[in-house]
């Protein structure tokens, strides 16, 4: 009887009005070491002088142990590549890596 009452109460509990946030993203292993365009947009607000701007970067993703590194490609051969983020790998399939972008940024 007590178990039935608990199950009944669990059924009456309201479900969240929205799905839980996604913490993981999959990236294909075939796309590692390929070039991607990273578009960063931001807005600065200072009274009436509001403006929006953006910046583009060429990046690639490299696996280093249990991390996926996002590296900005150098614009000049004399300047080394720049590490932008180290993203933890949370899982792996034969075709993809499951990463947590929130923890990497």
């Amino acid at each position: 009887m007590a178990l039935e009452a608990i199950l009944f109460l669990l059924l009456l509990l309201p479900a969240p009005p929205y799905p839980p946030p996604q913490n993981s993203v999959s990236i294909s292993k075939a796309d590692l070491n390929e070039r991607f365009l990273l578009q960063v947009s931001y807005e600065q607000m200072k009274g009436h002088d509001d403006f929006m701007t953006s910046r583009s970067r060429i990046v690639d993703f490299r696996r280093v142990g249990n991390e996926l590194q996002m590296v900005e490609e150098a614009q000049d051969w004399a300047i080394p590549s720049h590490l932008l983020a180290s993203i933890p790998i949370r899982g792996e399939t034969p075709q993809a890596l499951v990463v947590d972008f929130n923890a990497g940024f």
Side-chain angles (χ1 to χ4, degrees):
M1 182 72 173
L3 181 59
E4 291 174 357
I6 291 172
L7 290 175
F8 180 74
L9 287 175
L10 288 176
L11 290 174
L12 291 178
L13 290 175
Y18 49 86
Q22 294 275 340
N23 290 332
S24 299
V25 175
S26 295
I27 184 167
S28 172
K29 288 181 179 179
D31 291 331
L32 296 180
N33 301 314
E34 294 291 332
R35 294 169 39 165
F36 289 87
L37 177 64
L38 174 65
Q39 185 71 37
V40 179
S41 298
Y42 57 94
E43 179 178 355
Q44 292 185 342
M45 302 174 86
K46 295 180 182 178
H48 296 289
D49 298 328
D50 297 349
F51 69 93
M52 292 182 66
T53 187
S54 64
R55 181 173 179 196
S56 298
R57 298 176 184 210
I58 303 295
V59 299
D60 63 31
F61 293 95
R62 302 173 186 167
R63 182 179 187 163
V64 178
N66 280 337
E67 288 184 339
L68 190 64
Q69 294 184 343
M70 179 190 294
V71 180
E72 180 178 15
E73 192 172 282
Q75 300 292 325
D76 184 351
W77 64 271
I79 300 172
S81 298
H82 177 68
L83 178 64
L84 296 175
S86 294
I87 306 160
I89 297 172
R90 301 290 190 214
E92 184 172 357
T93 68
Q95 295 83 21
L97 299 175
V98 179
V99 297
D100 185 350
F101 273 106
N102 290 335
F105 290 95

